[in-house]
Amino acid sequence: MFSFKLEKSLIKGNSSIRTFLRQLSILFGCRSIGIIIGIFITILNGRVLTVEDMGQFNLAINLSNVLVIPLVFGTNTSVLKILPETRENQKGTVIGTVFLCNGLMCILGGILFCSFSFWGSGLLKISSMSWYLAVIIAIVSNLCIVTETFLKHQQDFKNIGLGKLISSIVLLLAYLIGVYYLKLIDVKLFLVFNVISQLILFLILVVKVDFHQIHFSLKVAKDIYSLSVLYMLSWLLSTFLYNADIYILAYLSDHYEVGVYSAYQVNVRNYFSIFYHDVFAAVFLPTILSMKIKKDEIYRNVNKWIPAIFGIIVMGTAAVCSLFIISYGKQYELNFLYVALVALGIGFQSIFFLINSILVIEGMEGAKLSLAIMSKPFPFLVANIFLLTYLFGKIGTLIAFPVNQLILVILLLYKTRRYREGDTNGC
């Protein structure tokens, strides 16, 4: 998709490019199958769960997506920047330091999150058990993300893809046994299935990490986490904004409205996120960092392809969203206005994610820029969701998503251009 004007002879003679293409094909194949399995599970959820329970399930899953961020603490991005610049005999120190710190984060974060269960579950109108399960999913997902980051640096995309494929198959088997053999249809049971799937993925990935000569270093921890905190804050703001709509709708409306909204917006958005992080960013970011492509060329080619990417994403999202709603059965009615709003929102978000991911090549300055772009308009964007939802219900929530994403894209393009021109006064 991205043309960096590489000649065939250069590709043949460059082992890193050949490795990139080979690993990309394996990862893409495994994740494509995994996504198909996931789509089948999502459709199964839509058919066997009531509309209200669908909303409850998606609330818990999206809660885990937010809680995982302070646990990972941005190391999934900072480590990919730091490890290529680290001497071979020091890489074990980076790995050991991150794993130890992350273990402490899991313990402290788990205790803290569980202590908020009464307040949080009441605010989102979910059960305390669903809250606890969301915390457990966040902890295990965090372990998967951190472990996967080291495998990305090792360019072991094959085992990443195979691990995620196996975990998807396990999740599917759990659903089939639970729903059709045991005749058990329960939101909390489905959340337990997700915990088991993520735990299996972690066990598969962790045995592939090179733990040779691992050590802990306080200095290394300071270097990593001083950069990571900026990525974490930016990620936390973007993800909270990404999920604030369903939280606000849950607070202002009833379970049925949340269920309908999640069927249109949340399920499709989650699969876009999976595709972006697990297929595109998983290979794209570590590869461009290792190939040492000139920054100007990267920005130029990305900007060139923005209109095509936007159009493809919008049309693809509209088709997928429509197929989802039809597949869920008679309890959901296909509304083309809802589909159009979802598709536009995902299209704008894809452009934001793409350009924002490029900022990792700028190191600390890129992290600061990314955080500034998210933090300054954040109160207004959240207020926009609340106001439109308060006034118009779920249609207002649907409208707020593309509007907010368009604002972020405009800010990101403007700020990035100023930064590239050397004018950082407004960042």
Side-chain angles (χ1 to χ4, degrees), residues 71 101-115 139:
L71 299 179
C101 292
N102 187 255
L104 293 174
M105 295 291 289
C106 288
I107 296 172
L108 297 176
I111 294 172
L112 179 64
F113 297 153
C114 288
S115 68
I139 291 173

Side-chain angles (χ1 to χ4, degrees), residues 164-426:
K164 293 193 174 185
L165 176 58
I166 293 170
S167 69
S168 297
I169 293 173
V170 169
L171 182 60
L172 174 61
L173 291 175
Y175 264 90
L176 293 177
I177 293 171
V179 173
Y180 293 108
Y181 181 72
L182 300 177
K183 306 296 182 181
L184 297 174
I185 300 174
D186 184 76
V187 170
K188 292 182 282 294
L189 180 63
F190 290 177
L191 292 173
V192 171
F193 292 162
N194 279 268
V195 172
I196 295 171
S197 174
Q198 287 296 298
L199 184 59
I200 289 174
L201 174 59
F202 169 67
L203 294 175
I204 292 173
L205 296 182
V206 74
V207 298
K208 300 298 181 180
V209 177
D210 183 6
F211 286 107
H212 182 64
Q213 295 182 338
I214 63 170
H215 302 284
F216 173 80
S217 168
L218 184 59
K219 180 181 182 303
V220 171
K222 290 179 179 178
D223 291 340
I224 292 173
Y225 284 93
S226 61
L227 176 61
S228 297
V229 67
L230 297 176
Y231 289 122
M232 185 273 292
L233 290 173
S234 178
W235 185 15
L236 184 63
L237 289 174
S238 62
T239 304
F240 183 81
L241 182 64
Y242 186 65
N243 293 282
D245 50 4
I246 191 172
Y247 303 148
I248 292 173
L249 184 62
Y251 177 73
L252 293 175
S253 188
D254 56 35
H255 291 164
Y256 182 84
E257 293 291 277
V258 174
V260 173
Y261 181 80
S262 66
Y264 274 91
Q265 177 78 288
V266 178
N267 289 336
V268 176
R269 197 167 60 191
N270 285 345
Y271 278 104
F272 164 76
S273 180
I274 290 171
F275 179 84
Y276 173 81
H277 290 291
D278 288 359
V279 177
F280 180 76
V283 179
F284 179 71
L285 288 181
T287 302
I288 62 171
L289 289 171
S290 63
M291 290 172 63
K292 309 298 182 184
I293 300 172
K294 292 182 179 180
K295 294 179 183 179
D296 289 340
E297 189 174 357
I298 294 173
Y299 283 106
R300 185 166 57 250
N301 280 279
V302 167
N303 290 333
K304 174 184 176 182
W305 282 95
I306 281 177
I309 293 172
F310 178 78
I312 292 171
I313 293 294
V314 168
M315 290 187 291
T317 301
V320 171
C321 183
S322 299
L323 289 173
F324 266 140
I325 298 302
I326 293 171
S327 300
Y328 292 152
K330 295 181 179 180
Q331 59 181 340
Y332 296 95
E333 180 182 352
L334 181 61
N335 186 309
F336 289 108
L337 174 60
Y338 294 177
V339 171
L341 291 171
V342 171
L344 285 173
I346 296 295
F348 289 131
Q349 187 177 52
S350 68
I351 302 305
F352 177 81
F353 274 17
L354 173 62
I355 301 172
N356 195 53
S357 68
I358 301 298
L359 292 177
V360 72
I361 66 178
E362 305 290 353
M364 180 68 77
E365 292 302 317
K368 291 179 180 179
L369 179 61
S370 178
L371 178 59
I373 292 168
M374 282 303 308
S375 60
K376 290 184 178 180
F378 182 79
F380 166 78
L381 297 176
V382 173
N384 184 45
I385 299 173
F386 189 92
L387 179 62
L388 289 175
T389 303
Y390 180 80
L391 292 175
F392 306 110
K394 68 175 179 292
I395 184 66
T397 319
L398 286 164
I399 292 171
F401 179 58
V403 170
N404 283 357
Q405 294 303 314
L406 177 59
I407 292 171
L408 286 174
V409 168
I410 293 172
L411 284 173
L412 183 59
L413 288 172
Y414 172 70
K415 293 289 189 178
T416 303
R417 181 178 178 180
R418 289 187 64 185
Y419 175 80
R420 295 298 300 163
E421 291 174 349
D423 181 5
T424 58
N425 293 329

